[in-house]
Amino acid sequence: MEIAKILFCTAAPIIAGTAVFSITNLIDTNMVQIILENSGYTHEQAQDLYGQLSGKYVTLTTLPISISTAVATAAIPSIAASMRLRQRQEIKRKMNLTLRVSMIISVPAGVGLGVLGEQIVQMLFPKAPDGGILLTVGFASIIFLALCQTVTGVLQGIGRVKVPVVGAILGAIVKVILNALLIRIPSINVLGAVLSTTGCYAVASIFNLMMLSHIMRVRIDLLASLFKPLLGSAVMGGVCFAAYKGLFALLNSNTIATLLAILLAIIVYGLVMLLIGGIKEEDLRSM
């Protein structure tokens, strides 16, 4: 019985802390259609808009988020071992490495979905191409959630499993408030759920980062972890968008132009990151 109690007290905060993504989906399930219908939309229109949110935006953001979650999960035992051995410098190195690897993957994924959101939706859902604007507007939510999940993994690794729970609660409160304020505005409608999701993840990730820095009394290397992937992704995004426009004009095929633009974007991002020192040998080994 005592063992079961210990397991429950350990597992419950971990599950709650990593459930931010599920929490936002649950909130939207209970709020979006109701607010839309109360704002003058018919039941069918509300269902259609919610379908774009849940069937396209949520579906297409799942892949990069699942990768960041895997990075966070993989970091927990390694950081926990260093914590047990009181290897402070090693903990700091692993923290910054985990953040850097997560951002190297998640930032370009978010920017890419933002730049080619409408084209990707049209390619994957040719019979129902609406909803690409949700990706364009909500690309930052991918970055913030990846950051949130990664820092959550680090906090759990150092034994502070309750801190992410507080971050998730704060994010959920922001989500509910912004949903109630934004979705009812006709010019925003379902985009309000996307913006509120971004706000939710931003609050949760910033809170977790601040608490991690305070607990460990170390400086988080945001320059290497976030700035360089953002710079590389900005260059990648510009090249990707220009390449798509040129390829589509030449080939008149959205699917081929989108796939070739994505392939070129991956190559450009890799080259830029190597040039500015955004990817190190240690990062590649960790991946």
Side-chain angles (χ1 to χ4, degrees):
M1 189 67 182
E2 187 66 24
I3 294 174
K5 182 180 178 182
I6 293 171
L7 287 173
F8 177 79
C9 292
T10 303
I14 291 177
I15 293 170
T18 54
V20 186
F21 185 58
S22 301
I23 290 170
T24 58
N25 291 335
L26 184 63
I27 292 171
D28 283 339
T29 300
N30 288 281
M31 290 188 72
V32 173
Q33 289 193 69
I34 294 173
I35 295 175
L36 286 173
E37 289 181 29
N38 289 338
S39 302
Y41 289 88
T42 65
H43 179 69
E44 289 72 21
Q45 289 173 327
Q47 277 191 320
D48 180 59
L49 289 171
Y50 179 72
Q52 293 176 26
L53 176 71
S54 61
K56 296 175 183 176
Y57 171 76
V58 173
T59 300
L60 291 174
T61 55
T62 297
L63 178 59
I65 289 169
S66 65
I67 295 173
S68 67
T69 303
V71 170
T73 304
I76 293 175
S78 178
I79 293 173
S82 296
M83 190 72 180
R84 182 75 175 174
L85 296 171
R86 301 182 185 278
Q87 298 171 330
R88 190 171 183 81
Q89 285 302 116
E90 189 66 10
I91 295 169
K92 179 181 177 181
R93 184 190 70 80
K94 289 177 180 178
M95 281 167 45
N96 285 315
L97 175 62
T98 302
L99 282 171
R100 192 164 66 244
V101 171
S102 179
M103 292 300 99
I104 285 172
I105 297 169
S106 302
V107 173
V111 171
L113 284 173
V115 170
L116 291 180
E118 295 189 3
Q119 290 80 6
I120 290 172
V121 168
Q122 185 179 342
M123 176 179 70
L124 297 176
F125 306 96
K127 294 184 179 180
D130 296 333
I133 187 65
L134 301 182
L135 291 172
T136 302
V137 171
F139 78 93
S141 67
I142 298 171
I143 301 171
F144 280 121
L145 180 55
L147 183 60
C148 179
Q149 298 286 58
T150 304
V151 179
T152 293
V154 174
L155 285 165
Q156 291 169 351
I158 64 175
R160 299 303 182 98
V161 295
K162 294 181 181 179
V163 173
V165 179
V166 178
I169 292 171
L170 292 174
I173 292 171
V174 170
K175 170 74 175 169
V176 170
I177 293 172
L178 291 179
N179 263 6
L181 293 174
L182 296 176
I183 296 174
R184 66 180 68 255
I185 301 174
S187 59
I188 297 179
N189 55 70
V190 77
L191 283 174
V194 174
L195 293 171
S196 67
T197 296
T198 303
C200 167
Y201 297 158
V203 168
S205 60
I206 292 170
F207 174 81
N208 287 348
L209 265 177
M210 290 174 61
M211 291 303 296
L212 177 63
S213 181
H214 173 72
I215 292 166
M216 296 304 299
R217 302 190 185 282
V218 297
R219 185 179 65 86
I220 307 297
D221 189 3
L222 284 179
L223 177 64
S225 299
L226 191 57
F227 178 73
K228 288 182 179 179
L230 280 172
L231 179 59
S233 298
V235 176
M236 176 206 76
V239 172
C240 181
F241 184 75
Y244 171 82
K245 289 294 185 181
L247 288 166
F248 183 76
L250 182 66
L251 302 171
N252 196 31
S253 170
N254 176 70
T255 299
I256 297 175
T258 300
L259 292 174
L260 290 176
I262 291 171
L263 179 61
L264 179 61
I266 294 171
I267 296 171
V268 168
Y269 177 72
L271 291 174
V272 172
M273 289 294 282
L274 288 172
L275 286 172
I276 64 176
I279 296 179
K280 304 176 183 177
E281 184 179 348
E282 185 182 22
D283 301 331
L284 296 175
R285 282 203 299 264
S286 298
M287 290 181 193

